Amino acid sequence: MDKCNACKFSDDTQEPSLAEKYPKLFSELEHSTESEQKQKIEEMREIMEVMHREDFQSVFTKELFDKIDKMMEEEKLSMENAILLLKHVGYNKVLKKILLYSFDYSSLSKRMKEMIIDENEKKKEEKNEKLLVDL
């Protein structure tokens, strides 16, 4: 009986919260191949779906969006994977009815606005319509 009680208390570590798991996965993106990034983004999507509103708001900060922008600039995150990640964020934000102003003030928001303007200024045959829709 003492042995069983010892087993119960020997592992006092609690599983990390969703708000802790997400940044860990996010930080791993930087050092992953493109296909590994897609897998991690899928794991991140699953976490987003069960995240509470408070956790969601605490994770998706201006700093996180700025980090995505920096990773894109340094070519550590492809545009395709960044857009995939942001689509999941946007979908869950709407689903959970969360107002999230942190994106609006991020460098990523500024980059995307500039990309939209640049793409719109191109001649019709040069425009990447899929990119415009994604942005």
Side-chain angles (χ1 to χ4, degrees):
M1 189 147 138
D2 289 333
K3 195 173 187 178
C4 290
N5 285 338
C7 292
K8 287 181 187 176
F9 297 106
S10 65
D11 187 18
D12 287 339
T13 59
Q14 290 183 333
E15 190 170 318
S17 73
L18 296 175
E20 294 168 337
K21 283 182 182 180
Y22 193 92
K24 182 183 180 307
L25 274 172
F26 180 82
S27 67
E28 293 171 2
L29 285 177
E30 199 167 4
H31 308 289
S32 302
T33 66
E34 190 150 346
S35 63
E36 291 171 336
Q37 286 179 350
K38 284 187 186 324
Q39 290 174 324
K40 289 184 188 313
I41 290 169
E42 181 60 25
E43 289 178 55
M44 293 161 75
R45 180 195 61 78
E46 291 171 3
I47 290 172
M48 278 186 251
E49 287 180 354
V50 294
M51 228 183 238
H52 294 291
R53 292 175 65 133
E54 297 79 19
D55 288 339
F56 196 90
Q57 289 176 314
S58 72
V59 167
F60 295 100
T61 62
K62 176 186 176 294
E63 292 74 25
L64 184 109
F65 292 119
D66 287 342
K67 179 73 174 168
I68 293 171
D69 183 50
K70 185 177 179 188
M71 288 169 65
M72 289 171 59
E73 187 176 308
E74 295 173 349
E75 299 181 357
K76 294 179 179 178
L77 182 65
S78 69
M79 174 65 71
E80 180 184 344
N81 283 344
I83 288 173
L84 179 62
L85 176 60
L86 293 171
K87 282 181 177 180
H88 293 315
V89 173
Y91 174 79
N92 281 283
K93 177 181 115 22
V94 170
L95 192 66
K96 296 173 188 300
K97 299 177 183 166
I98 297 173
L99 295 176
L100 198 64
Y101 297 108
S102 53
F103 176 78
D104 298 340
Y105 300 103
S106 70
S107 57
L108 181 59
S109 173
K110 182 179 177 184
R111 174 194 288 260
M112 293 196 152
K113 287 175 187 173
E114 289 171 0
M115 290 173 69
I116 291 169
I117 291 167
D118 291 346
E119 212 47 50
N120 275 326
E121 288 176 351
K122 290 180 180 177
K123 294 179 185 172
K124 184 168 178 103
E125 57 275 358
E126 295 175 356
K127 281 186 186 181
N128 182 341
E129 294 293 332
K130 182 184 180 331
L131 177 62
L132 260 175
V133 169
D134 285 344
L135 291 172

